[in-house]
Amino acid sequence: MSQEPQNDPLLSGQAYVDDAVQAITGGPDHELDADGLRSMMETAASDFDRRTAHAFGSALLDHLSEDPANMRLLEALVILGLAHPEVLQDARISLAVEGRRLAVLLERSGDVERAQALLEFLAGHMPLDRTVDQELAGLMRRNGNTDSLVERYLRRADDAVEAGRISEAIPWLQEVLLLDRTRRDVARMIRDLRYGEVERERRKRRGVKVLVGLCSLCFLVAMGVAWNADAARRYGDLPVSSDVDLNMMAARLEGLESLSSVRPIWSGSIKVRTEQDRIHWQLREVQRVQRAEQVAIQLAEQVRLAQAEAARVRGLTHAERGDFKAALIAFREAIDRAPEEWEHLPQLQVDHDALVEHLSAGSDQ
């Protein structure tokens, strides 16, 4: 069933307001306990469309501004707000505030049970609003209903523990101790929960440390793989070596030494050091052979020079004795053995040519 306002001018009329209260609450004899509130809320939600709910809300708010202590109007507004929250939201009215105000009025009128039932229903409907809980606790304390309040706090604590919200359960148990300091079981529960919370936090930190360690290990492994791959690439790009070419061996050795300085440790570092030692040995061996060859060449040149000098001296001796043929033979031997840069070679060539000419002239005569 959908109830519509009949004429807009009547929206603020007392008759319309009475009809709205009657439609929302079902009459003055309704029960304001959890079941009754739930029944009225469900009826209002199903029977009133959005337009009707806003019209009823506007009429109730207009009359409440003139009569704020009217419990019937306030009760109807709270039920309407539970069924259609957008009505109060659009009017910028807090359902929690209006519900607490109604509970205060009910308590002052002596209807404590209905006030408590209303606050309990609102607390269950709006679990995130702690102000309703606080109002309910204050009402129960004022009226000596601490046993029910203790049971309520214990249920809240049990629900929090079952949901794993230990930090939320402990304050509820502390509230129980504030109401009844003889509850040693509750004090023990708080200690156990705190100890369990500490242990969970310790395990959590240990787990975080393990996770951080694993992440660090994975990072180091990844860095090691990248480091190794880069070193292998650098090694493959080194100049090719030759066992006989000193320049190629020196270039290869320089590349290996550079690689060892920038990548001192990788999977092929032992191979690099072994090759460095081998090339060092090869270089020394080649250099030794070259020095030996150079010494041999120098010795051969010195021998030739000595033989050339001996032949020149012998030729001069033969020439002084008049044995020009023997002198010519000695000069020829000296010229053949003498190095090109020998200082006596030009004069020796002149003497040789002179003897050749002299002997030729003598044979013609």
Side-chain angles (χ1 to χ4, degrees):
M1 176 181 72
S2 176
Q3 298 192 21
E4 298 286 344
Q6 297 177 359
N7 294 299
D8 290 343
L10 296 178
L11 286 177
S12 59
Q14 185 63 46
Y16 183 77
V17 172
D18 290 340
D19 289 343
V21 172
Q22 176 70 24
I24 295 170
T25 64
D29 298 329
H30 62 274
E31 291 292 335
L32 198 63
D33 55 11
D35 293 336
L37 284 169
R38 185 175 294 103
S39 176
M40 287 183 286
M41 182 185 71
E42 292 173 352
T43 300
S46 62
D47 288 356
F48 308 149
D49 58 20
R50 183 181 179 87
R51 182 169 178 269
T52 302
H54 275 79
F56 284 168
S58 297
L60 293 171
L61 288 171
D62 287 343
H63 280 71
L64 279 169
S65 64
E66 299 175 1
D67 186 9
N70 191 318
M71 287 190 291
R72 289 182 61 250
L73 299 181
L74 191 56
E75 183 181 272
L77 181 67
V78 170
I79 295 171
L80 184 65
L82 288 168
H84 294 275
E86 70 278 1
V87 173
L88 297 187
Q89 291 173 2
D90 293 345
R92 299 182 182 277
I93 301 296
S94 170
L95 175 60
V97 171
E98 298 304 315
R100 283 159 35 214
R101 187 154 68 92
L102 175 58
V104 170
L105 293 175
L106 288 170
E107 183 184 8
R108 289 176 180 173
S109 69
D111 203 344
V112 176
E113 290 184 2
R114 297 186 72 185
Q116 181 175 328
L118 172 64
L119 290 174
E120 287 176 345
F121 186 81
L122 289 174
H125 191 73
M126 297 181 295
L128 299 180
D129 195 320
R130 297 300 298 270
T131 61
V132 176
D133 260 322
Q134 293 169 357
E135 187 70 31
L136 175 59
L139 182 144
M140 297 176 76
R141 285 193 187 94
R142 288 192 298 272
N143 293 277
N145 198 3
T146 56
D147 291 342
S148 297
L149 185 57
V150 165
E151 292 301 321
R152 177 180 178 81
Y153 286 159
L154 289 175
R155 285 196 302 272
R156 288 290 182 88
D158 289 340
D159 293 341
V161 169
E162 290 179 2
R165 301 189 301 271
I166 305 302
S167 58
E168 182 181 329
I170 292 176
W172 290 118
L173 295 175
Q174 289 172 334
E175 291 289 338
V176 172
L177 284 182
L178 290 176
L179 293 171
D180 187 356
R181 296 186 179 276
T182 65
R183 295 293 299 264
R184 295 182 180 179
D185 58 327
V186 174
R188 186 171 56 254
M189 289 172 60
I190 293 175
R191 288 195 301 271
D192 292 344
L193 288 176
R194 281 177 173 167
Y195 177 78
E197 187 72 4
V198 170
E199 284 299 309
R200 276 187 291 273
E201 187 64 27
R202 186 177 302 163
R203 287 195 297 270
K204 181 179 178 182
R205 287 197 298 268
R206 189 181 301 118
V208 170
K209 289 180 180 178
V210 171
L211 181 60
V212 170
L214 289 175
C215 291
S216 300
L217 179 61
C218 291
F219 175 75
L220 291 175
V221 169
M223 289 296 295
V225 170
W227 175 282
N228 198 74
D230 180 71
R233 179 188 60 78
R234 290 171 181 261
Y235 181 75
D237 293 340
L238 292 178
V240 178
S241 180
S242 171
D243 292 340
V244 295
D245 192 320
L246 286 178
N247 292 330
M248 295 179 67
M249 283 193 288
R252 177 76 174 185
L253 182 60
E254 182 181 359
L256 291 171
E257 291 174 345
S258 176
L259 176 60
S260 295
S261 65
V262 297
R263 294 291 183 269
I265 300 176
W266 61 290
S267 63
S269 56
I270 295 178
K271 178 174 63 176
V272 170
R273 286 193 290 271
T274 301
E275 187 175 355
Q276 282 181 268
D277 294 340
R278 179 179 60 79
I279 294 178
H280 271 298
W281 181 86
Q282 287 178 331
L283 280 173
R284 288 195 299 269
E285 186 65 17
V286 171
Q287 290 170 350
R288 185 189 64 79
V289 171
Q290 289 181 343
R291 283 196 300 270
E293 291 176 350
Q294 187 176 2
V295 169
I297 292 172
Q298 291 174 350
L299 288 174
E301 289 179 352
Q302 290 176 0
V303 170
R304 288 179 60 192
L305 183 61
Q307 290 174 343
E309 180 63 22
R312 184 183 73 85
V313 171
R314 191 169 59 252
L316 291 175
T317 302
H318 286 309
E320 289 177 355
R321 293 176 179 175
D323 190 353
F324 298 123
K325 289 184 179 180
L328 181 62
I329 294 172
F331 286 163
R332 181 74 264 170
E333 181 183 352
I335 291 173
D336 290 340
R337 293 184 179 280
E340 294 181 359
E341 65 276 7
W342 189 33
E343 57 182 352
H344 298 297
L345 184 59
Q347 184 60 47
L348 186 61
Q349 189 68 48
V350 172
D351 293 342
H352 175 273
D353 293 342
L355 281 176
V356 170
E357 184 178 353
H358 175 73
L359 289 175
S360 296
S363 63
D364 291 339
Q365 294 179 0

